[in-house]
Amino acid sequence: MASLSTNAFHPLEPTDFSQDSKKVIDFIADYYKNIEKYPVLSQVKPGYLKPQFPDTAPYSPESLEDILKDIDASIIPGLTHWQSPNFFAYFQANASTAGFLGEMLCSGFNVVNFGWITSPAATELETLVMDWMAKMLELPPPFMSSGNGGGVLHSSTCEAIVCTLAAARDKVLTKNGHEAITKLVVYSSDQTHSSLQKGVKLVGIPPTNVRCLPTAFPEGFSLSPLTLEAAIRKDIKSGFIPLYLCGTVGTTACGAVDPVGKLGKVARKYNLWFHIDAAYAGSACICPEFRHYLDGVELADSFSMNPHKWFLTNMDCCCLWVQNPDSLIESLSTKPEYLRNGATDTLNVIDYKDWQIALSRRFIALKLWVVIRRHGLATLRFHIRSDVKLASYFESLVAKDSRFEVVLPRKFALVCFRLKAGKNKAHNENLNQRLNKKLLQGVNESGNAFMTHAVVGGVYFIRCAVGSTLTEERHVEGLWKLIQDKATKVLLNATY
Ligand SMILES: *Cc1c(COP(=O)(O)O)cnc(C)c1O
């Protein structure tokens, strides 16, 4: 009788696993050794990949050597090197040796901890590590497991926002009836991350019910509590139901910080769910000199930040804390018979599936726990401060060159600057935009650095986000020299 040979197929044989993993680890180590040799921004054209590989899957196994060769030849050229020390675009996505180790352990065990029973250690370590993080950030006790609140790890801020929006929505709709969904209003500033808009659509609130309240230069593009209150009152008068406010500590375009305490008071007065998005800048708040930006956080219902940005934790990892998990759980829990178990029935354990969108979830807590243990609070603070120092150094270089201007006072490690169009043209925004676009294009196409831009208050500027794990002073100096060279060329060719 024909049978599948069982001694030919061992997809998880420990000796092979060890040998092959070591080859991949050496491959990655070589990649890091050579990372400065690659153009930071990938130079390939759309569709470059298809002709390089067969258009059907292989019938027989291929060797790891062949696969790594193809990665070298076809994949690496199509990478934008986020871990390059010359990466200054968007916000950094910190990798670290500890982050890799944690990630390896997480995928090594490959447990699926949707409930306490499915891996008690994964659930209990997540609770513990979220309490550690909360203490490092000096979040008030109601956000901790000992104070009836608690934290959960998500993959992204978008997800955290969707879940808190759903919790807030259901709390209000249980009282008002489901038809009231068209009346719910969500408040943010015109600087709030686009994930709020997306989240609102996903939870079924009409996108026209988002109030993107205007911010301005004199307030550093932070949301004014007076503007907020006026908008809320207007909406109440028109029969709307104010639901949710998203405040930001460290906006994506320019690092603006909303006044957490003052906004929190307005939110409490009108019974809004108040979420604080500190995706980028939250990491900095482990340093006492930045912690004041979170003053008033006790007035928030939820708070989130991304260790996968600036906390040496490889993708992906987003921390979300809530003061009252009940409303999250009421909104997100499911209780099918096939998942029933004695532990859940005691109501004494956490089933994190009820705190997120998906059922399945990774043991991300292990990664964050390894990162924190391998560095310690003192080193993590040093890491933040050294990036801030480098950014402040870059800012001083910009300020010394009269052809340039720092557009906004630096926040954290993000410098917003631009080339000026010349004395008499200083107010010509069109010309400014053209010059700065050319300058940015010149820098990025050189392959020697990568930055991105933003437009805030009608002004186009270049963002230099310092903070890649490998960035040192010499890279910041190299970047500045590159910018100056390209600026000279742009100004020479400029037609006034
Ligand atoms: C990066 C960023 C986000 C998006 O984070 P994801 O984890 O990618 O969803 C949201 N808000 C702010 C302020 C950000 O900087």
Side-chain angles (χ1 to χ4, degrees), residues 230-489:
I232 294 174
R233 282 167 172 264
K234 188 165 164 244
D235 282 325
I236 293 175
K237 248 192 205 156
S238 320
F240 285 104
I241 307 171
L243 177 74
Y244 184 101
L245 164 67
C246 180
T248 310
V249 173
T251 61
T252 313
C254 66
V257 177
D258 290 335
V260 167
K262 288 180 183 161
L263 294 180
K265 279 186 194 141
V266 179
R268 280 282 159 101
K269 184 169 164 190
Y270 295 94
N271 214 9
L272 271 70
W273 182 294
F274 181 26
H275 178 76
I276 301 171
D277 171 7
Y280 160 65
S283 298
C285 298
I286 60 163
C287 300
E289 66 271 32
F290 292 115
R291 173 57 182 76
H292 66 92
Y293 289 127
L294 299 187
D295 287 354
V297 65
E298 66 277 3
L299 298 172
D301 296 277
S302 49
F303 173 82
S304 63
M305 51 84 69
N306 285 359
H308 70 223
K309 274 186 170 151
W310 201 10
F311 208 69
L312 300 174
T313 308
N314 300 31
M315 286 277 290
D316 37 5
C317 186
C318 168
C319 298
L320 167 69
W321 290 270
V322 286
Q323 291 213 19
N324 178 7
D326 292 349
S327 40
L328 256 195
I329 293 169
E330 264 156 45
S331 189
L332 303 174
S333 79
T334 50
K335 296 185 172 62
E337 181 59 32
Y338 49 80
L339 296 180
R340 276 197 68 176
N341 64 84
T344 298
D345 289 344
T346 64
L347 304 176
N348 284 328
V349 297
I350 293 176
D351 290 335
Y352 277 120
K353 73 177 174 58
D354 300 336
W355 297 48
Q356 64 168 24
I357 297 170
L359 171 69
S360 302
R361 60 202 313 278
R362 285 156 30 92
F363 194 178
I364 301 177
L366 193 56
K367 174 169 58 181
L368 185 55
W369 182 70
V370 172
V371 166
I372 296 170
R373 286 193 63 182
R374 286 291 289 147
H375 295 104
L377 178 57
T379 308
L380 288 165
R381 282 180 178 156
F382 174 83
H383 150 73
I384 297 289
R385 286 171 178 150
S386 65
D387 288 344
V388 171
K389 223 160 112 188
L390 282 180
S392 143
Y393 177 49
F394 179 82
E395 185 187 33
S396 73
L397 294 172
V398 175
K400 266 190 263 174
D401 187 330
S402 61
R403 299 173 299 168
F404 289 87
E405 66 180 334
V406 176
V407 175
L408 285 162
R410 176 184 50 81
K411 280 270 165 60
F412 311 104
L414 175 65
V415 183
C416 302
F417 72 101
R418 66 173 178 173
L419 189 56
K420 288 188 285 191
K423 277 192 194 109
N424 16 1
K425 305 276 184 180
H427 298 293
N428 187 339
E429 183 49 32
N430 274 342
L431 179 59
N432 266 328
Q433 240 193 70
R434 251 191 300 137
L435 286 180
N436 282 286
K437 273 185 184 166
K438 271 203 185 131
L439 171 61
L440 185 59
Q441 195 183 0
V443 169
N444 292 343
E445 283 178 359
S446 78
N448 294 324
F450 180 31
M451 294 182 296
T452 49
H453 77 279
V455 177
V456 172
V459 172
Y460 180 103
F461 57 85
I462 300 174
R463 298 166 71 262
C464 175
V466 180
S468 282
T469 311
L470 299 171
T471 303
E472 296 172 14
E473 195 170 302
R474 66 186 166 93
H475 302 106
V476 170
E477 280 165 355
L479 171 69
W480 179 237
K481 204 171 162 303
L482 175 66
I483 293 169
Q484 284 185 311
D485 285 355
K486 297 291 173 193
T488 305
K489 288 198 185 104

Side-chain angles (χ1 to χ4, degrees), residues 202-229:
L202 282 168
V203 302
I205 295 171
T208 46
N209 289 12
V210 181
R211 308 282 177 256
C212 289
L213 305 170
T215 59
F217 183 82
E219 293 82 36
F221 296 100
S222 71
L223 177 56
S224 142
L226 295 175
T227 309
L228 171 67
E229 185 158 10

Side-chain angles (χ1 to χ4, degrees), residues 55-78:
D55 55 13
T56 47
Y59 187 72
S60 306
E62 298 190 68
S63 73
L64 177 60
E65 284 68 24
D66 282 349
I67 293 169
L68 291 179
K69 234 184 264 163
D70 283 347
I71 291 178
D72 236 343
S74 303
I75 301 296
I76 288 183

